Amino acid sequence: MRKVWKKLRKALNPYSVRGTMILSFMLLISIIVLLVSLVSYYYTMNDIESISINYTVRLLGEINASIDSYIDNMKSMAKVVVENKDVRDVMAFYNRHHDKRLSYIEEKELERLRANAAAHMNIVANTRSDITNIAVISKYKDVVLSDVEKEVNENSEFNVTDWYLKPMSYKDEIVVSPSHVQNLVSGEYKWVISISKSVLDPETGEVTGVMVIDLNYRSIEAICENAQLGKNGYIYLIDRHKNIIYHPQQQLLYSGIKSELVEEILKMRDTYLRDDVNNRIYTRNYSELTGWSAVGVVNVDELIKDKSSIIDFYFRLAGISILFAMTFAVLISTTITNPIKMLENTMHEVEVGNFDVRSEIELNNEIGHLSKTFNVMISRIKDLMEKTVRDEEEKRRSEIRALQAQINPHFLYNTLDTIIWMSAGGKNDEVVEVTSALARLFRTSISKGENLVTLLNEVENIKSYLTIQKMRYEDKLSWRVDVPPELLGLMTPKLILQPIVENAVYHGIKMSQAGGEIAISARTAGDRLTITIADSGVGMTAEQLEQLFVPRPDTDRGIGVINVNNRIRLCFGEEYGLHYFSAPGEGTRVEIWLPVIEGGDEDDV
């Protein structure tokens, strides 16, 4: 027993990460309460949802009963109209005298019958505000309107509608049409529901025409809107033929902006259908009298909102459990994460380059041991980095000095040759001028030992060089320098122009029979200085351009160009250096990309 207790105390040691994690997991027991609350909530929600669905079904039944009563009244009115003697007589008159020329007496008789029939229909129409029009139409398309001041729309195609065709075939049936736009009356295009019935000849019983009553949505709309199904819930009516009889957003449906589940509703066997895509519940109640189905649409979120008072207890219990869980979690996690956070902050300092920082965590656990190991590691890294920086700096300086040294002997040999043949030719003045230019050139190249000089220094240097070359090649070579005075104070690496210009002379101008010109210019764009050396020599092929920066010790070009490019990149980085543009017979343009460095930054690089 003592051994077990000892092991338990060791496992629950609050000074170890392991013990802290065990205590944290023990707090998860509080989640059990939350799970029980959620399960209870789930079953309660299902029960309340079933209650709400049953309530909606009963409500739809009451709506159907009200609509049945309303339609039954309208059918009674339809019978009153079609059984009126004047209505029957006027339809019989039209059938007996179809395609016959009327006498004066017959015209007067027809006028009297139309007036009597219209007066009767107008009385019926005025009994209800939801009747927009009553009309009788003979089977030969003769129309009598209830309102004598209105005219028949000559372009109306009522003869192809169900409300006209069905009564013509089924004389004992009262037809109730789906909602549609009625255009029987000229200038009127109203959304209506039409109730129609055949008109029979009182003597022969033959169908002589059709009576139609057009109803607006006021009564049906009032019945459906009085039923509250939440803020966004609504009710619509469909018949067994998938026609929507009434919908609160009828125009959106017919314009295609909105759609409804019709086939799914008619096929449903249960009392409700859940639409998980739109988060809705559909319920349906069918009327035997009208053949219509009243469909209720309820938003599930609103349903849950209405149930909130019933499940308030479960949310309170869950809230209290979460509150306790959060309190314990904060306390425990703070104890665990504070030392780790301190160590993390120290690591961030090292990440940005501060190797003098040290972790000050002094704990007798794994984090404390990690902190001590981290401090030792940082000290060693700092020593290694300082040694690496010193070695790399010395290596870089040595490389720059070696690259720069490779340039000077190459030009000296060529210039001495020039002085020799000029002296042999007795050109003493020219010898003096060339010797002076050479002296200025080497004085600039070796003075002070700086690696950065002003652009003015480089321009004067290249002018001395081109003066020497002009003496050698005479009329075959011309040159010009176009550098804005405000740029002459900027700093450049020493001796970067002379190797490029030398290449232009020996591999561009010299190789051209007609000679050529070398133009030197400079410009700045943002934080970049671009120096351009362009010659009108023989140019280079694409293959020569590709091989330009490939070291080739057996050629002159392999020395100057590569060394200048390497020196620039060693000083400033890979985004700077030389860029060549050339084509055979079109000369060569070299752009030297450098950072803009003001004249005050002349320190050794």
Side-chain angles (χ1 to χ4, degrees):
M1 186 68 181
R2 180 175 296 180
K3 291 183 179 180
V4 175
W5 175 247
K6 188 175 181 180
K7 289 182 179 179
L8 183 60
R9 287 184 58 189
K10 184 178 180 181
L12 296 177
N13 180 13
Y15 298 103
S16 68
V17 174
R18 180 186 178 192
T20 305
M21 294 302 296
I22 291 174
L23 291 175
S24 299
F25 279 113
M26 289 176 62
L27 294 177
L28 295 178
I29 298 174
S30 60
I31 296 178
I32 297 176
V33 178
L34 181 59
L35 291 176
V36 172
S37 299
L38 290 176
V39 171
S40 301
Y41 170 79
Y42 173 77
Y43 283 105
T44 302
M45 293 298 288
N46 283 342
D47 291 340
I48 296 177
E49 186 175 289
S50 298
I51 294 172
S52 298
I53 290 172
N54 292 333
Y55 163 76
T56 306
V57 171
R58 290 196 302 272
L59 184 61
L60 294 178
E62 294 176 1
I63 290 174
N64 262 341
S66 299
I67 293 175
D68 288 349
S69 176
Y70 172 71
I71 296 298
D72 194 48
N73 290 334
M74 291 299 103
K75 288 182 177 181
S76 298
M77 284 190 176
K79 291 180 181 180
V80 170
V81 175
V82 299
E83 292 175 0
N84 179 261
K85 183 178 182 303
D86 294 322
V87 172
R88 288 186 174 187
D89 288 345
V90 73
M91 290 293 98
F93 185 93
Y94 274 122
N95 287 320
R96 288 193 300 270
H97 296 85
H98 177 65
D99 289 337
K100 293 181 181 179
R101 185 178 185 83
L102 300 180
S103 66
Y104 177 77
I105 296 175
E106 290 173 334
E107 287 181 356
K108 289 298 183 180
E109 176 65 12
L110 176 60
E111 184 178 339
R112 183 186 67 81
L113 291 175
R114 284 179 60 92
N116 291 342
H120 175 72
M121 291 187 293
N122 192 46
I123 291 172
V124 176
N126 289 333
T127 59
R128 298 188 63 95
S129 60
D130 52 347
I131 297 177
T132 62
N133 180 56
I134 300 178
V136 286
I137 308 169
S138 74
K139 63 181 180 181
Y140 298 110
K141 305 178 185 178
D142 302 296
V143 182
V144 179
L145 301 176
S146 59
D147 190 343
V148 295
E149 295 182 359
K150 296 180 179 180
E151 296 181 358
V152 178
N153 183 2
E154 295 181 355
N155 298 320
S156 176
E157 297 181 349
F158 60 84
N159 56 304
V160 297
T161 62
D162 286 342
W163 61 260
Y164 178 79
L165 294 175
K166 285 185 178 181
M168 295 292 291
S169 302
Y170 306 99
K171 61 182 181 180
D172 294 328
E173 182 178 346
I174 297 178
V175 178
V176 181
S177 76
S179 57
H180 64 99
V181 176
Q182 181 63 280
N183 61 353
L184 182 61
V185 179
S186 178
E188 292 186 2
Y189 300 90
K190 298 180 179 179
W191 284 94
V192 297
I193 295 173
S194 297
I195 297 178
S196 58
K197 190 179 185 311
S198 58
V199 180
L200 305 179
D201 190 302
E203 297 178 0
T204 63
E206 177 188 357
V207 176
T208 57
V210 174
M211 183 283 310
V212 61
I213 300 177
D214 292 330
L215 306 172
N216 60 29
Y217 292 109
R218 292 178 186 173
S219 297
I220 294 178
E221 189 174 42
I223 293 172
C224 294
E225 288 186 350
N226 286 336
Q228 296 296 324
L229 294 180
K231 183 178 180 181
N232 296 313
Y234 57 89
I235 295 172
Y236 66 93
L237 304 175
I238 57 176
D239 64 14
R240 62 173 67 94
H241 303 296
K242 304 178 185 178
N243 297 311
I244 294 182
I245 306 299
Y246 161 78
H247 195 285
Q249 297 174 333
Q250 193 84 16
Q251 294 181 351
L252 296 180
L253 289 175
Y254 277 85
S255 62
I257 298 175
K258 183 180 178 62
S259 62
E260 283 292 356
L261 302 178
V262 177
E263 292 188 9
E264 294 86 346
I265 296 299
L266 293 176
K267 292 178 181 179
M268 62 186 282
R269 295 184 180 181
D270 296 329
T271 55
Y272 73 97
L273 173 68
R274 180 182 289 274
D275 180 9
D276 293 327
V277 176
N278 297 309
N279 201 26
R280 293 174 177 176
I281 293 178
Y282 291 81
T283 53
R284 172 193 174 196
N285 185 275
Y286 178 73
S287 170
E288 294 289 346
L289 178 64
T290 60
W292 296 351
S293 293
V295 182
V297 183
V298 180
N299 189 290
V300 175
D301 293 334
E302 292 184 355
L303 195 63
I304 295 174
K305 183 178 179 181
D306 294 337
K307 305 169 193 173
S308 60
S309 60
I310 302 176
I311 57 175
D312 183 63
F313 168 76
Y314 297 109
F315 282 110
R316 288 178 183 271
L317 181 60
I320 293 173
S321 300
I322 292 173
L323 181 61
F324 275 105
M326 289 177 59
T327 302
F328 281 108
V330 169
L331 293 176
I332 299 301
S333 62
T334 301
T335 303
I336 297 174
T337 59
N338 271 351
I340 298 176
K341 191 66 177 177
M342 293 173 61
L343 185 59
E344 181 186 13
N345 292 336
T346 305
M347 289 181 177
H348 282 314
E349 289 290 327
V350 175
E351 184 180 359
V352 298
N354 184 7
F355 288 92
D356 295 323
V357 69
R358 294 293 181 270
S359 174
E360 299 180 356
I361 300 174
E362 296 181 0
L363 297 174
N364 190 25
N365 59 16
E366 290 88 343
I367 297 179
H369 296 320
L370 181 62
S371 174
K372 294 177 182 178
T373 305
F374 175 78
N375 288 337
V376 174
M377 179 186 68
I378 294 305
S379 297
R380 292 181 180 177
I381 291 176
K382 181 181 179 183
D383 293 340
L384 289 173
M385 289 187 64
E386 290 177 350
K387 183 177 183 302
T388 302
V389 169
R390 291 195 298 271
D391 293 346
E392 289 295 324
E393 181 68 19
E394 182 59 32
K395 178 182 177 183
R396 186 173 69 89
R397 293 177 182 274
S398 299
E399 288 178 345
I400 292 176
R401 287 193 293 270
L403 291 173
Q404 185 176 326
Q406 294 182 35
I407 298 172
N408 299 329
H410 181 75
F411 171 66
L412 178 61
Y413 300 148
N414 292 330
T415 306
L416 291 176
D417 284 342
T418 302
I419 294 174
I420 289 172
W421 68 257
M422 291 177 66
S423 177
K427 300 179 179 182
N428 296 330
D429 293 339
E430 287 84 348
V431 169
V432 172
E433 184 176 355
V434 171
T435 305
S436 299
L438 181 63
R440 288 195 303 273
L441 185 63
F442 275 95
R443 188 182 304 112
T444 303
S445 302
I446 63 176
S447 62
K448 298 183 183 179
E450 301 102 338
N451 289 318
L452 286 185
V453 296
T454 62
L455 182 57
L456 174 63
N457 187 295
E458 275 295 284
V459 169
E460 293 299 328
N461 188 46
I462 204 60
K463 286 180 178 179
S464 298
Y465 173 78
L466 287 172
T467 299
I468 295 171
Q469 297 293 22
K470 176 67 176 174
M471 291 293 182
R472 182 177 181 184
Y473 291 103
E474 298 180 346
D475 294 339
K476 194 173 183 179
L477 172 67
S478 61
W479 58 273
R480 57 187 174 88
V481 177
D482 183 17
V483 178
E486 62 270 16
L487 301 184
L488 294 175
L490 299 180
M491 307 300 291
T492 71
K494 184 168 62 176
L495 290 179
I496 61 170
L497 295 182
Q498 184 266 331
I500 310 302
V501 174
E502 185 177 4
N503 266 348
V505 173
Y506 284 105
H507 302 289
I509 305 300
K510 179 180 178 181
M511 302 304 295
S512 174
Q513 294 182 355
E517 181 187 52
I518 295 176
I520 301 171
S521 61
R523 69 180 187 278
T524 57
D527 57 354
R528 189 173 76 189
L529 167 65
T530 301
I531 304 173
T532 303
I533 300 99
D535 68 71
S536 58
V538 295
M540 290 184 286
T541 64
E543 291 76 10
Q544 289 176 314
L545 286 174
E546 290 180 359
Q547 297 295 319
L548 195 60
F549 293 103
V550 177
R552 299 176 63 185
D554 57 329
T555 64
D556 292 340
R557 190 173 299 178
I559 298 175
V561 172
I562 298 175
N563 285 357
V564 170
N565 191 57
N566 288 344
R567 286 171 57 204
I568 293 174
R569 292 193 172 187
L570 279 171
C571 289
F572 306 118
E574 295 296 322
E575 65 268 29
Y576 301 100
L578 303 183
H579 298 270
Y580 272 76
F581 308 90
S582 182
E586 298 182 6
T588 300
R589 186 178 88 255
V590 184
E591 291 186 359
I592 305 176
W593 293 2
L594 300 168
V596 174
I597 302 175
E598 299 296 336
D601 299 332
E602 297 188 33
D603 296 336
D604 191 12
V605 176

